Amino acid sequence: MNEFQQVLYNQIDKIQASNLPSHVKKVVSAVSLCRTNAMKGRVYSCPTGHFSVFMRESCNNRACPTCQSENKRIWNINTKEKVTNSPHYHLVFKLPAFLYPYILTHYKDFIEILFEASSKTINKLIKYSFDLTPTPAFISVLHTHGDQYQLHPHIHVILNSIALSKNQDKLLFLDETLFKLDNFNSVYNHLLKKELINLHMNHPELGITFKENINKFQNENIFISNKYKSPFPIIDYLSKTIKGNALDLNQVDFLHNGSTQIHKKDKTFSFSNDEFVNRYIKHIIPQNVKSIRYSGFYSSASKEKYLIVNSLYNLNLQFEPINNDPDLELDDVSHKIHKSCPICNQTMILLEEVDEFKVPDIVYIKFGKDPPTEDLFTKLVA
C-alpha cells in the first residue's frame, strides 16, 4: 500500500458511511486496496528459470493514478496513430461555476450536457460556415480538475482543420475566421442554456435556485488556440490527465503532519489530507460514462471516411511512435516484468495463483516463515 492509498484508506470508513454516490464508494474501496494483500496474486516465472515475480491484482480503475500510468502512454501512441498529421485546433468548453454544487448528485447528466453542447457547437458552426453538411473530425477529452485539483469540469477538443465534403469527393479546410470567439461563445451558450433548462424540467428536485441561476446565466467563455501544425503536441498535453484522473503521484508529497502538497510546475498547493481526499473523490466519475469520445471521421463508425480523407490528403499513414514528452516515459516497469524475462526476454509463464492474504509456495521456499514485503520480494526473487 503506497502513501496515497494509506491516506485514502484512513478515511474509507467515513466515506462508506457518507451519502456519497455508490460508484464513489466502490472506486475508493477498489483503489485503496489495489495491488495489496487484499487482492489475489499470481507468480510468473521465466521458462528457463532465470527470474520469477509475484504480483497482486490491480484494480485497473480509471480513477487509480497507479493503474493509469501505463494506459496514458498507450493512449498517447494509439491516438497519434489514429489522427491525420494535419493542422489541428485546440478548444476548451467549460461549465458555469454555479453548477458545481450539483455535480456530484447529477454527475452523468452534466457530463453528457458538456459533451453534447460542445459537439453541437462545433458541428453547427462548420455546417453554417460551408452552407453544407461536411464531416469534421475531433476528439473530446473530459477533464474535471483545476490547477489546485479542485472540481472544474471542462472538455478539451482536438479539432482537425480538415473536413470531408458531403459527397466525399473533396476536402474542406476550416479557415481561422470560423473561430471567432463571439461566434463560438454565442452558439455554445445558447445550446448550453437549452440543455440545462431541459435538465431542470426532468429533475425539478434541483430546485428554484438552480432555475434562477440558469436564467441569470449569460456567458461562458471558450478557449480557442491558434492553429497547430500537428495534433501531436495537444495529444502529449492531454495524455497526462486522460481517463478521468489528473493525479500524478510523482507531483504529490504526503507529509508527516497530516497534510498534502501538490507541485505544479513552479507552484505548490498545500491542504490537509482530509481536504485532499475530498478533492480526489470529486473527480470519480460514474463507470458507464465515457471520458474520451471520437467524432466525425475519427469515430470507429467512420473508418471508410477516414481512409478517403487520407487518400485525398495524400498522407503517409506510417507513424513512428516517438514520444516528445518525457513525463510519459515514466512507465510502471515493475508491473511489466511479468510479461517477459528481463534476462533472456522469453515470455513468462503463470506458475501459481493464490487467494487474498495468501502467500505463494515459492515465497516460503525461498524466505521461510517470515517472507519480505511484496515489493522487496519482487526485487529479490530471481
Side-chain angles (χ1 to χ4, degrees):
M1 183 177 287
N2 59 37
E3 290 180 299
F4 162 72
Q5 290 175 294
Q6 188 64 59
V7 168
L8 196 60
Y9 188 77
N10 289 342
Q11 298 196 35
I12 197 167
D13 290 339
K14 183 174 70 175
I15 292 171
Q16 296 301 334
S18 70
N19 60 354
L20 288 167
S22 59
H23 76 271
V24 172
K25 297 178 181 180
K26 289 179 181 179
V27 170
V28 168
S29 179
V31 172
S32 61
L33 299 178
C34 178
R35 305 183 186 185
T36 67
N37 288 335
M39 306 290 280
K40 293 182 178 181
R42 295 183 178 88
V43 176
Y44 295 91
S45 183
C46 168
T48 55
H50 286 132
F51 186 82
S52 296
V53 60
F54 174 48
M55 302 176 64
R56 293 290 180 181
E57 288 184 353
S58 306
C59 69
N60 201 29
N61 194 285
R62 63 181 166 190
C64 179
T66 305
C67 288
Q68 290 308 319
S69 59
E70 174 66 2
N71 288 341
K72 290 175 182 180
R73 187 187 71 85
I74 293 173
W75 184 82
N76 180 281
I77 293 173
N78 289 344
T79 305
K80 287 178 179 177
E81 291 177 341
K82 187 180 188 71
V83 297
T84 60
N85 191 8
S86 55
H88 280 64
Y89 294 95
H90 178 199
L91 296 79
V92 181
F93 297 84
K94 301 181 291 183
L95 286 175
F98 78 82
L99 299 176
Y100 292 1
Y102 307 91
I103 284 177
L104 285 186
T105 55
H106 294 77
Y107 223 139
K108 183 177 180 180
D109 293 308
F110 287 116
I111 291 174
E112 293 300 332
I113 286 174
L114 192 50
F115 274 110
E116 191 73 10
S118 58
S119 177
K120 284 182 177 179
T121 298
I122 293 171
N123 284 314
K124 195 168 187 177
L125 281 172
I126 291 176
K127 178 181 177 181
Y128 286 168
S129 176
F130 292 103
D131 195 25
L132 298 165
T133 310
T135 302
F138 54 95
I139 303 172
S140 303
V141 180
L142 174 68
H143 281 193
T144 61
H145 59 280
D147 286 340
Q148 299 184 43
Y149 204 48
Q150 76 275 24
L151 185 66
H152 177 52
H154 55 284
I155 283 181
H156 291 267
V157 177
I158 312 171
L159 174 63
N160 202 330
S161 63
I162 296 172
L164 182 63
S165 67
K166 184 176 181 179
N167 294 331
Q168 302 183 24
D169 58 347
K170 63 180 179 179
L171 299 180
L172 305 173
F173 295 89
L174 309 185
D175 190 273
E176 291 192 10
T177 56
L178 168 69
F179 295 91
K180 290 182 179 179
L181 276 174
D182 290 343
N183 294 340
F184 260 95
N185 283 336
S186 60
V187 174
Y188 176 65
N189 285 289
H190 171 74
L191 291 170
L192 182 60
K193 197 169 186 176
K194 183 178 178 181
E195 295 285 348
L196 291 174
I197 291 172
N198 290 335
L199 177 66
H200 183 265
M201 291 176 62
N202 294 327
H203 295 279
E205 71 274 11
L206 287 167
I208 297 175
T209 303
F210 182 86
K211 185 177 181 181
E212 290 175 346
N213 283 330
I214 296 174
N215 293 331
K216 295 177 185 176
F217 169 62
Q218 295 295 328
N219 191 38
E220 186 62 52
N221 290 327
I222 298 168
F223 166 81
I224 301 176
S225 73
N226 293 324
K227 188 187 292 185
Y228 283 77
K229 292 181 179 179
S230 161
F232 298 162
I234 314 174
I235 294 170
D236 283 338
Y237 169 72
L238 296 180
S239 296
K240 299 176 183 179
T241 48
I242 61 164
K243 303 291 183 182
N245 187 274
L247 189 63
D248 182 351
L249 294 183
N250 294 313
Q251 298 176 338
V252 182
D253 287 328
F254 299 98
L255 306 181
H256 294 298
N257 63 0
S259 64
T260 303
Q261 289 186 339
I262 295 181
H263 308 284
K264 294 282 188 178
K265 295 182 179 179
D266 57 342
K267 297 180 180 179
T268 297
F269 306 104
S270 300
F271 24 78
S272 67
N273 286 349
D274 288 353
E275 176 61 21
F276 167 75
V277 173
N278 180 51
R279 296 188 183 206
Y280 170 76
I281 60 180
K282 288 181 179 178
H283 303 296
I284 300 175
I285 62 178
Q287 287 299 109
N288 59 345
V289 175
K290 291 182 178 179
S291 58
I292 303 174
R293 306 188 185 187
Y294 303 85
S295 303
F297 61 78
Y298 280 162
S299 69
S300 57
S302 300
K303 290 182 179 179
E304 291 185 4
K305 290 183 179 180
Y306 174 81
L307 294 175
I308 293 172
V309 169
N310 277 282
S311 175
L312 292 172
Y313 198 57
N314 194 27
L315 293 175
N316 180 5
L317 296 179
Q318 298 299 317
F319 165 70
E320 295 181 9
I322 298 174
N323 194 349
N324 297 322
D325 193 332
D327 290 344
L328 297 170
E329 308 239 345
L330 299 174
D331 301 338
D332 190 0
V333 177
S334 66
H335 277 257
K336 282 184 177 179
I337 55 179
H338 70 288
K339 296 181 179 179
S340 59
C341 175
I343 298 173
C344 66
N345 206 35
Q346 290 193 65
T347 302
M348 301 280 273
I349 58 174
L350 178 61
L351 192 65
E352 185 180 355
E353 293 185 86
V354 296
D355 292 330
E356 301 87 341
F357 301 106
K358 300 291 185 179
V359 180
D361 293 338
I362 190 172
V363 175
Y364 286 116
I365 293 172
K366 192 167 183 70
F367 298 104
K369 295 181 179 180
D370 189 22
T373 62
E374 180 184 332
D375 286 345
L376 184 58
F377 170 75
T378 299
K379 297 174 183 177
L380 291 178
V381 62

